[in-house]
Amino acid sequence: DAGVIQSPRHEVTEMGQEVTLRCKPISGHDYLFWYRQTMMRGLELLIYFNNNVPIDDSGMPEDRFSAKMPNASFSTLKIQPSEPRDSAVYFCASSLEVRGKQYFGPGTRLTVT
Amino acid sequence: AQKITQTQPGMFVQEKEAVTLDCTYDTSDQSYGLFWYKQPSSGEMIFLIYQGSYDEQNATEGRYSLNFQKARKSANLVISASQLGDSAMYFCAMREKNTGTASKLTFGTGTRLQVTL
């Protein structure tokens, strides 16, 4: 089975532009997670979904960030407007059960200039 | 207080030798899980090994083993017979049960392992 798929792998955009990151979880996994990794803050959970419903978005940094999961096989993380401090690697992960191990996608490296 | 502490920012080990990467954790929960992930230079996060707080045996997965000392709240990763491909960042993570987000993983700051010839 294919792993977690993320696109794009790299994104370079200008400050103020809208950015959309995409994730396809492993088929059958009911949990989907969005993480952000920076040198300063390490790996942080932004939000997670269970059965397409957002469960905890307390890690979302501010209103410029939003995430959706319209169906079991697709999720987006949107930043509007983007700022240079949003530059990071964004990971999507999925798991089969609430206590299960999380499988990570390859990440999207975002650079905001 | 840090939930997960990895005190070794960098480690060197010679090929074919064993190496221990330290991880200590802080929780008041009785039920929790401990994970180790590997992040090579290519950037992906690779799951290595899992230990549940109630597991009596130390977890093992091939060359990886977890030295779980519950009373000391430590969950060190042991890599036996190191290979050049083991060079990477290694992250320890904990999942706690009694949090508002039952699935939330808290990560340590990582240890960069370099395997030398």
Side-chain angles (χ1 to χ4, degrees), chain A residues 7-71:
Chain A
S7 65
R9 293 294 308 275
H10 300 273
E11 177 79 48
V12 181
T13 190
E14 289 185 350
M15 183 173 66
Q17 297 297 306
E18 176 180 297
V19 175
T20 300
L21 312 181
R22 297 173 176 80
C23 174
K24 177 178 167 53
I26 294 172
S27 177
H29 282 193
D30 291 333
Y31 291 84
L32 183 139
F33 308 81
W34 282 101
Y35 288 89
R36 178 172 68 175
Q37 185 179 33
T38 61
M39 287 295 291
M40 291 297 293
R41 298 174 68 90
L43 265 159
E44 305 171 280
L45 177 68
L46 300 177
I47 184 171
Y48 84 90
F49 295 83
N50 175 214
N51 290 326
N52 314 337
V53 176
I55 302 300
D56 186 346
D57 64 356
S58 59
M60 295 285 263
E62 45 198 276
D63 292 345
R64 296 184 297 107
F65 286 69
S66 62
K68 294 182 180 180
M69 192 164 185
N71 57 62

Side-chain angles (χ1 to χ4, degrees), chain B residues 29-98:
Chain B
D29 289 350
Q30 296 301 308
S31 176
Y32 52 90
L34 297 155
F35 300 76
W36 277 92
Y37 283 85
K38 172 184 178 181
Q39 187 176 40
S41 57
S42 50
E44 71 269 31
M45 294 286 286
I46 303 167
F47 167 79
L48 294 178
I49 197 165
Y50 167 78
Q51 179 86 41
S53 57
Y54 291 121
D55 295 341
E56 294 185 357
Q57 303 268 4
N58 283 346
T60 60
E61 292 278 355
R63 294 186 299 110
Y64 304 108
S65 61
L66 202 151
N67 183 2
F68 181 46
Q69 298 186 48
K70 197 169 181 177
R72 299 178 65 179
K73 293 189 175 177
S74 75
N76 299 339
L77 176 70
V78 180
I79 306 174
S80 63
S82 299
Q83 302 172 355
L84 294 177
D86 294 334
S87 296
M89 279 290 282
Y90 288 81
F91 291 95
C92 180
M94 176 174 64
R95 186 208 65 239
E96 297 173 279
K97 179 181 179 183
N98 294 324

